[in-house]
């Protein structure tokens, strides 16, 4: 795959979808709160958040099932805020798949094409093409209740793709599948998107799914977009405590800035025996309250004190979770706080295997310590 | 074990009166306690009684027309109640739809008759008591029953099916015709059958709104049985039970065959 | 999502129909209940006397309501209706509960057939089924003949034309309405709850009282309302099976209208029934529906 410059980094690129200060209130409940968001052509964009965070409402507004209380939605430059769903160049794959139970697979797919008034041979050809695309050609005459979960999911996808929408919306597309099938389908969906080139917008609560499939992720909480970025950006450089905590595991140390230079910010943590050095470039004023976040896999665990220049903390092993490929050590610091460190189990036997109540040092590189101000 | 004895008792309670009637419909004697030998004379008497036959034909017509009206209006009402969450006058509408379910029949009958009388005085329609007034009355009170049946089906239907159809480019009317209607069709049939049964069985409301020229079957039966036992009614009962039994058997077959 | 016009067009036909044929009639009933009776056709006087010399003159009256309050007959009929319908409801519950329970615990393959057998009588004529009891209950009827033959009684009992006959007729007619909702709740019940109760040391009968009965309460209430509501305003059953002294409010309204041709008093009885009977039932129904919506809403996602 050739790596083209990402459209969202190109200031000249015009986004395909724009949310402009969009809010949605249901009575007193604010489901979506002043969202501004730009999604570009060809993206696989995921809205990620816990249930009730407003992600589904945002998606339904894009499909036209809910009208925004405030703000505008633009698709391809046109304001669609007041356009009904049946006139939007957008199709949605529902969480329940919403296959029409009284129609065959082919009938389901043809339904959308008939609404466009296409000629019958054209419809037949298109139905066949999309069914082949999702490898469901053999099942054209089945009824939905005769299909497995995975097959239904493919038909639902094909039904949307047949309409050749500008944007395809996916509401928890893999939620109904079991774990094994889900992982396989994730990659398939990405491949299909690559081939057809349609912009995908997906809603999910599953961070692994979002990380695997997306070009960019918008993390939502309480109706607001917390952060938008590539999976790497979201994981490695979360901009807030919420995002750091929501994506993956995180060890957090509260503290205040003691000094700042071009090399980074030094943070005083009352919990730890020494100041933490970080590579945080933004010079913060002394005394500014901050949180230092370190991912468990960035922490080394050992019996010996670390080399100079590393941050460290001292404690005893309180719990070990052996997961086969990796082990997670829960270390109780001298302050009483528990911290997680993750180590790959590289060899069958380790001579210096750590066990419960062993005194250990945790250490990490300044570049892996992230300073969060929000 | 005791449980099944009690169940058997319930079935005996439900069916003994019906069986007794069926047996005595073949009794040559007019007395219930005396078996006067096997005879089909009550059937002959019933089936040559012009008054009974006319009444049965009228009842059938009224039931078909009123059930159809009730199904159309009741379905619309169910769609309004399930799909249109907020509109002016919703409380009044919901009240009007549910009230007939708890309204004693004597009140409904009286109220409708008084309306018909008042309308006839004011605009000259409906002229007297006729099939029309019975149809209107039956259509009105069965409407609510149809709404209950269709409403529960609509409530259970996955709303995303309609959204999906709209999303695929279908306008609301098309969504209703090609998605909603086929999916709630069994409920419409059930509602129609219920309305049909309520109509063909109704005595009280018909008593108010029918006139001398238009007496449906239950009115004719009622005026007969008020005077005491009449064995040709036993014969009629046997015919009704047989017809319903056959209809049920066919419906059961169809339902099984579809599965 | 439907356009405003579309929604309007969908709602209009049922709205208009119900307003004309359901709401308007009650306004007329109310009006006539305030009118004076008259010997003409229709047998009441208009509320305003258009022919009076000093313009239109109010001729309305509360006499009809005053009569309901003064004559003990109406109050007695009202109370007796509630009593008879209440006893019939209880009888339906006593017969219907074990039946519904047995069906819900029967082998799955049998359940539908057993249920159909309960519902089948409903689809046959109500009138004919009530009529069947005349032959059974009357003095020279089957029941008395059987009891005499068995030697249980020496003289035939007078059952027909008593309140007891009315109660039997109602129980018989409305039993399916009790069994079906009871079955629906009992069938849904999680049997592992009973196993859990047994596991925790609860004997079967106690487990029934402590677990099954409270959980089937929605079915009991729904079934009781389905029986009580039509029974309390019933006319056909008391007319055919009851005696002249069986006072029920539906029968009173009927005889005021058809036998006495007193439309204003019949209308007043209807209005009183609406206020004292139908309104409380609707309030109970609404409260119940509201509670169920709430309970259902919690379970939904």
């Amino acid at each position: 795959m050739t790596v083209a410059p990402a459209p969202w980094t190109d200031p000249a690129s015009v986004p395909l979808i724009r949310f402009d200060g969009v809010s949605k209130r249901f009575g007193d409940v604010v489901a979506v709160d002043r969202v501004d968001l730009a999604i570009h052509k060809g993206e696989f964009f995921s809205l990620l958040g816990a249930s009730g965070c407003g992600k589904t409402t945002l998606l339904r507004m894009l499909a036209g099932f809910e009208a925004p209380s405030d703000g505008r939605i633009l698709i391809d430059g046109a304001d669609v805020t007041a356009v009904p769903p049946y006139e939007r160049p957008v199709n949605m794959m529902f969480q329940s798949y919403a296959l029409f139970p009284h129609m065959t697979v082919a009938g389901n797919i043809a339904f959308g094409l008939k609404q466009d008034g296409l000629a019958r041979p054209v419809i037949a050809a298109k139905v066949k093409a999309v069914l082949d695309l999702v490898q469901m050609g053999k099942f054209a005459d089945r009824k939905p209740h005769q299909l497995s979960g995975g097959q239904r999911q493919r038909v639902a996808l094909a039904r949307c793709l047949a309409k050749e929408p500008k944007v395809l919306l996916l509401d928890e597309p893999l939620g109904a599948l079991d774990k094994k099938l889900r992982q396989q389908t994730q990659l398939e969906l990405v491949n299909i998107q690559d081939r057809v080139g349609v912009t995908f917008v997906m809603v999910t609560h599953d961070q692994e799914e979002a990380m695997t499939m997306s070009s960019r992720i918008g993390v939502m909480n309480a109706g607001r977009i917390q952060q938008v970025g590539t999976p790497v950006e979201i994981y490695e450089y979360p901009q807030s405590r919420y995002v750091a905590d929501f994506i993956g595991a995180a060890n957090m140390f509260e503290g205040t800035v003691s000094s700042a230079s071009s090399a980074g910010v030094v943070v005083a943590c009352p919990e730890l025996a020494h100041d933490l050095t970080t590579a945080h470039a933004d010079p913060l004023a002394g005394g500014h309250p901050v949180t230092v976040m370190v991912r468990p896999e960035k922490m080394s665990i050992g019996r010996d004190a670390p080399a100079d220049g590393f941050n460290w903390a001292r404690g005893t092993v309180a719990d070990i979770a052996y997961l086969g490929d990796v082990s997670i050590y829960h270390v109780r610091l001298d302050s009483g706080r528990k911290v997680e460190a993750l180590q790959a189990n590289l060899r069958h036997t380790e001579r210096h295997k750590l066990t419960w109540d062993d005194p250990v040092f945790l250490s990490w590189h300044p570049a892996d310590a992230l300073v969060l101000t929000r | 074990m005791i449980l099944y004895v009690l169940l058997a008792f319930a079935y005996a309670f439900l069916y003994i009166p019906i069986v007794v009637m069926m047996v005595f419909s073949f009794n040559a004697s007019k007395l219930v306690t005396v078996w006067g030998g096997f005879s089909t004379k009550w059937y002959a008497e019933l089936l040559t009684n012009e008054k009974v036959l006319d009444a049965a034909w009228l009842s059938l017509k009224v039931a078909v027309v009123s059930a159809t009206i009730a199904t159309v209006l009741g379905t619309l009402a169910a769609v309004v109640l399930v799909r249109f969450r907020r509109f002016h006058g919703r409380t009044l509408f919901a009240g009007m739809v549910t009230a007939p379910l708890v309204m004693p029949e004597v009140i409904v009958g009286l109220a409708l008759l008084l309306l018909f009388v008042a309308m006839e005085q004011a605009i000259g329609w409906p002229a007297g008591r006729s099939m029309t007034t019975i149809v209107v009355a039956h259509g009105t009170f069965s409407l609510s029953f149809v709404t209950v049946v269709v409403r529960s089906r609509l409530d259970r239907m996955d709303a995303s099916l309609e959204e999906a159809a709209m999303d695929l480019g279908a306008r609301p009317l098309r969504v209703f015709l090609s998605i909603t209607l086929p999916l709630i069709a069994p409920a419409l049939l059930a509602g129609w059958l219920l309305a049909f049964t309520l109509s063909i069985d109704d005595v009280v409301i018909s008593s108010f709104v029918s006139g001398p020229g238009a007496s449906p079957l239950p009115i004719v039966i009622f005026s007969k049985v008020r005077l005491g036992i009449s064995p040709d009614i036993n014969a009629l009962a046997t015919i009704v039970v047989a017809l319903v039994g056959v209809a049920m058997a066919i419906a059961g077959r169809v339902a099984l065959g579809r599965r | 999502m439907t356009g405003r016009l579309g929604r309007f067009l969908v709602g209009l036909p049922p709205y208009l129909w119900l307003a004309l044929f359901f709401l308007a009639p009650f306004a007329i009933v109310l009006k006539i209940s305030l009118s004076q009776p008259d010997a003409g056709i229709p047998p009441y006087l208009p509320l305003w006397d258009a022919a009076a010399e000093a313009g239109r003159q109010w001729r309305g009256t509360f006499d009809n309501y005053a009569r309901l309050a003064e004559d003990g007959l109406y109050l007695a009929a009202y109370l007796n209706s509630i009593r008879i319908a209440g006893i019939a409801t209880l009888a339906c519950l006593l017969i219907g509960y074990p039946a519904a329970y047995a069906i819900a615990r029967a082998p799955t393959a049998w359940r539908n057939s057993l249920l159909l057998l309960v519902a089948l009588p409903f689809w046959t004529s109500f009138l004919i089924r009530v009529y069947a009891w005349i032959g059974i209950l009357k003095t020279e009827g089957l029941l008395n003949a059987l009891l005499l033959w068995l030697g249980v009684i020496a003289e035939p009992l007078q059952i027909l034309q008593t309140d007891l006959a009315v109660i039997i007729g109602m129980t018989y007619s409305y039993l399916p309405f009790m069994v079906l909702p009871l079955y629906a709740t009992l069938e849904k019940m999680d049997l592992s709850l009973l196993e859990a109760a047994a596991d925790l040391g609860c004997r079967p009968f106690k487990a029934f009282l402590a677990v099954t009965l409270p959980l089937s309460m929605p079915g009991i209430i729904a079934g009781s309302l389905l029986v009580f509501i039509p029974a309390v305003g019933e006319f056909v059953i008391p007319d055919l099976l009851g005696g002249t002294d069986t006072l029920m409010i539906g029968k009173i309204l009927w005889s005021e209208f058809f036998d006495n041709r007193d439309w204003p008093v019949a209308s007043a009885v209807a209005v009183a029934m609406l206020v004292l009977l139908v309104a409380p039932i609707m309030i109970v129904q609404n409260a119940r529906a509201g509670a169920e919506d709430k309970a259902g809403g919690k379970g939904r996602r």
Side-chain angles (χ1 to χ4, degrees):
Chain A
M1 216 162 76
T2 55
V3 180
W8 55 89
T9 55
D10 178 3
S13 166
V14 180
L16 180 68
I17 302 165
R18 251 182 60 200
F19 287 90
D20 229 358
V22 170
S23 295
K24 178 68 186 179
R25 290 178 291 274
F26 295 104
D28 297 335
V29 182
V30 182
V32 170
D33 190 11
R34 286 161 290 160
V35 164
D36 294 306
L37 183 63
I39 298 171
H40 294 261
K41 194 167 184 309
E43 270 204 84
F44 195 130
F45 192 94
S46 293
L47 289 164
L48 176 64
S51 68
C53 72
K55 57 188 193 299
T56 300
T57 307
L58 197 62
L59 194 76
R60 288 173 59 81
M61 286 195 281
L62 189 51
F65 299 131
E66 309 283 354
S69 311
D70 282 315
R72 301 188 308 155
I73 299 171
L74 289 90
I75 298 175
D76 215 2
D79 188 338
V80 297
T81 316
V83 175
Y86 43 87
E87 284 168 8
R88 293 195 188 198
V90 167
N91 286 114
M92 176 139 151
M93 193 175 128
F94 289 80
Q95 185 170 12
S96 63
Y97 305 143
L99 296 179
F100 307 130
H102 57 303
M103 298 181 191
T104 60
V105 165
N108 263 280
I109 295 170
F111 182 85
L113 300 170
K114 279 185 195 152
Q115 307 310 319
D116 296 342
L118 297 181
R120 213 176 273 180
V122 180
I123 293 178
K126 284 197 176 210
V127 169
K128 189 177 178 318
V130 285
L131 277 178
D132 287 344
L133 180 70
V134 297
Q135 296 160 13
M136 287 290 292
K138 277 185 287 182
F139 299 94
D141 296 327
R142 294 265 183 104
K143 289 274 183 76
H145 68 89
Q146 297 168 309
L147 302 178
S148 72
Q151 290 169 333
R152 279 181 218 175
Q153 188 261 350
R154 286 155 186 267
V155 176
L157 179 68
R159 189 172 70 176
C160 293
L161 289 174
K163 293 275 287 182
E164 294 169 20
K166 284 180 181 163
V167 185
L168 201 151
L169 310 177
L170 306 103
D171 184 5
E172 303 272 6
L174 310 175
L177 305 181
D178 63 54
K179 198 179 172 198
K180 200 117 194 200
L181 192 57
R182 196 153 66 214
Q183 286 174 342
Q184 182 193 332
T185 314
Q186 283 172 4
L187 296 174
E188 250 176 48
L189 262 179
V190 174
N191 286 337
I192 287 175
Q193 196 237 357
D194 252 8
R195 269 198 275 167
V196 296
V198 175
T199 308
F200 278 32
V201 179
M202 175 173 85
V203 154
T204 180
H205 68 277
D206 183 334
Q207 48 159 306
E208 213 178 288
E209 196 168 292
M211 305 279 279
T212 315
M213 300 165 76
S214 319
S215 59
R216 283 195 304 159
I217 298 171
V219 180
M220 279 191 82
N221 181 38
R224 307 222 59 178
I225 299 249
Q226 297 288 326
Q227 185 174 350
V228 175
T230 63
V232 173
E233 284 167 352
I234 295 276
Y235 185 78
E236 301 289 350
Y237 305 102
Q239 287 164 359
S240 62
R241 289 181 200 98
Y242 180 83
V243 175
D245 198 42
F246 186 73
I247 311 283
N251 295 307
M252 310 242 206
F253 303 98
E254 311 293 327
T256 52
V257 174
S258 60
S259 71
S261 69
S262 59
V265 172
V266 179
V267 178
C269 278
E271 285 192 273
L272 299 176
H274 71 115
D275 286 358
L276 297 177
T277 54
T278 70
H280 193 72
D282 185 16
L284 292 162
H288 196 289
V290 294
T291 301
V292 176
M293 190 281 285
V294 187
R295 296 284 185 201
E297 76 279 6
K298 307 280 196 295
M299 287 205 171
S300 304
I301 184 167
R303 293 180 209 278
D304 308 318
D308 275 354
F310 276 78
N311 294 304
W312 56 269
R314 205 168 51 193
T316 54
V317 176
D319 266 312
I320 305 171
Y322 174 74
L323 301 180
D325 50 350
V326 295
S327 291
I328 298 168
Y329 296 87
H330 295 257
V331 176
R332 181 175 287 114
L333 301 185
D334 295 344
S335 66
R337 241 310 267 294
K338 271 194 192 170
V339 171
E340 279 179 34
L342 186 143
Q343 296 279 288
N345 294 323
L346 299 176
R347 293 187 182 78
H348 278 304
T349 54
E350 275 184 73
R351 256 184 300 157
H352 303 292
K353 213 170 143 187
L354 295 170
T355 183
W356 283 268
D357 295 332
D358 278 354
V360 290
F361 283 95
L362 294 169
S363 59
W364 59 94
H365 195 269
D368 292 328
L370 216 67
V371 174
L372 303 173
T373 54
R374 283 198 290 141
Chain B
M1 197 55 226
I2 297 172
L3 211 54
Y4 288 104
V5 172
L6 292 173
L7 181 63
F9 170 74
Y11 282 125
F13 181 56
L14 281 175
Y15 281 96
I16 283 176
I18 295 174
V19 171
V20 165
M21 256 192 310
M22 294 174 81
V23 170
F24 279 91
S25 73
F26 296 105
N27 185 3
S29 164
K30 207 175 153 79
L31 298 166
V32 261
T33 39
V34 181
W35 182 255
F38 182 85
S39 159
T40 53
K41 68 173 175 181
W42 305 118
Y43 288 87
E45 197 166 291
L46 181 79
L47 297 175
T48 51
N49 186 336
E50 207 122 309
K51 208 175 161 197
V52 167
L53 293 180
D54 285 351
W57 177 234
L58 177 71
S59 272
L60 203 63
K61 282 189 290 185
V62 167
V64 168
V65 178
S66 71
T68 306
I69 292 174
T71 304
V72 171
L73 293 173
T75 304
L76 290 178
V79 169
V80 168
L81 287 175
V82 175
R83 293 287 183 254
F84 308 165
R85 286 284 164 208
R86 259 171 280 183
F87 62 91
H88 288 293
R90 188 180 203 276
T91 318
L92 175 67
F93 186 71
M96 287 196 302
V97 173
T98 44
L101 299 172
V102 298
M103 202 65 76
E105 289 171 315
V106 280
I107 298 187
V108 177
L110 173 73
L112 277 164
L113 173 63
L114 296 183
L115 173 82
F116 292 142
V117 170
M119 282 174 74
E120 193 179 356
Q121 275 184 314
I123 58 170
W125 183 93
R129 254 45 77 222
S130 61
M131 182 179 151
T132 314
T133 50
I134 310 175
V135 164
V136 168
H138 286 185
T140 305
F141 85 96
S142 348
L143 184 163
S144 303
F145 290 87
V146 174
T147 304
V148 169
V149 174
V150 175
R151 194 180 174 178
S152 77
R153 178 73 192 89
L154 271 178
D155 265 333
R156 276 183 289 126
M157 189 180 138
D158 184 1
S160 64
L161 289 173
E162 288 173 351
E163 286 179 349
M166 220 184 278
D167 184 69
L168 291 165
R171 293 172 166 279
L173 184 65
R174 165 94 0 237
V175 173
F176 183 77
L177 292 177
S178 52
I179 304 298
T180 317
L181 209 52
L183 291 178
I184 63 172
L188 295 196
L189 182 64
W192 190 91
L193 283 174
L194 185 59
F196 179 90
T197 309
L198 288 169
S199 166
I200 210 158
D201 210 17
D202 171 68
V203 183
V204 175
I205 294 174
S206 301
S207 297
F208 283 93
V209 299
S210 65
S215 289
L217 189 56
I219 302 287
V220 173
I221 300 175
F222 187 55
S223 51
K224 268 171 108 68
V225 301
R226 271 184 116 178
L227 303 174
I229 294 289
S230 61
D232 53 343
I233 300 299
N234 288 338
L236 181 66
T238 308
I239 294 172
V240 169
V241 170
L243 283 179
V244 170
V246 169
M248 284 280 182
I250 292 172
R253 273 284 163 79
V254 170
L256 279 179
R258 216 179 264 173
R259 223 174 284 158
Chain C
M1 275 312 112
T2 323
R4 288 187 79 88
L5 182 69
R7 291 169 58 140
F8 182 73
L9 289 178
V10 168
L12 200 61
Y15 214 132
L16 279 184
W17 180 282
L18 286 168
L20 178 60
F21 293 121
F22 191 73
L23 204 57
F26 287 104
I28 294 171
V29 170
L30 191 65
K31 187 194 112 185
I32 293 177
S33 75
L34 296 172
S35 306
Q36 296 176 24
D38 185 52
I41 296 175
Y44 59 90
L45 294 172
L47 281 186
W48 279 279
D49 185 0
E53 280 173 18
R56 311 186 82 196
Q57 196 190 343
W58 170 254
R59 253 195 338 211
T61 170
F62 286 99
D63 285 356
N64 304 311
Y65 289 101
R67 219 178 102 191
L68 297 194
E70 282 159 16
D71 192 336
L73 176 78
Y74 299 99
L75 182 66
Y78 171 72
L79 294 177
N80 204 41
S81 299
I82 292 178
R83 185 180 68 91
I84 289 183
I87 296 173
T89 306
L90 201 64
C92 279
L93 190 59
L94 289 178
I95 301 172
Y97 199 102
Y101 193 90
I103 298 173
R105 300 288 170 266
T108 325
W110 286 66
R111 281 185 210 162
N112 276 339
S113 308
L114 289 173
L115 267 187
L116 196 68
L117 277 178
V118 172
L120 196 67
F122 168 78
W123 296 96
T124 65
S125 169
F126 164 76
L127 183 58
I128 288 176
R129 282 183 296 131
V130 174
Y131 156 77
W133 283 96
I134 298 179
I136 296 173
L137 294 180
K138 65 180 187 171
T139 318
E140 59 279 15
L142 277 177
L143 184 62
N144 272 319
L146 182 72
L147 292 177
L148 285 170
W149 182 73
L150 287 173
V152 181
I153 51 170
E155 286 286 303
L157 298 172
Q158 170 75 33
I159 306 174
L160 195 68
Q161 295 174 349
T162 65
D163 287 3
L164 178 64
V166 176
I167 292 168
I168 292 175
M170 283 181 175
T171 309
Y172 175 69
S173 300
Y174 296 121
L175 184 60
F177 293 159
M178 180 64 89
V179 175
L180 297 179
L182 276 176
Y183 168 80
T185 42
L186 286 169
E187 193 260 347
K188 266 187 292 176
M189 209 182 88
D190 184 357
L191 282 182
S192 62
L193 291 174
L194 287 180
E195 289 171 356
D199 184 59
L200 295 168
C202 197
R203 289 178 179 284
F205 185 66
K206 260 193 114 177
F208 172 79
L209 289 182
V211 179
T212 312
L213 202 57
L215 283 176
S216 57
M217 222 45 195
I220 293 177
I221 295 172
S224 299
L225 282 172
L226 281 178
V227 173
F228 183 82
I229 291 169
V232 78
E234 184 56 58
F235 164 73
V236 172
I237 298 173
D239 189 66
L240 289 182
L241 302 181
T244 40
D245 55 342
T246 304
L247 290 176
M248 286 199 70
I249 196 76
K251 220 179 133 187
I252 295 281
L253 192 155
W254 178 285
S255 63
E256 289 294 354
F257 186 85
F258 285 105
D259 305 337
N260 302 344
R261 255 183 92 70
D262 194 337
W263 292 17
V265 166
S267 299
V269 171
V271 172
M273 269 175 97
L274 274 181
V275 174
L276 297 175
L277 214 56
V278 179
I281 287 171
M282 284 199 85
I283 290 168
V284 171
Q285 281 261 45
N286 280 344
R288 197 174 64 92
E292 265 176 19
D293 270 1
K294 249 184 212 163
K298 260 180 215 158
R300 248 177 267 145
R301 295 218 311 155

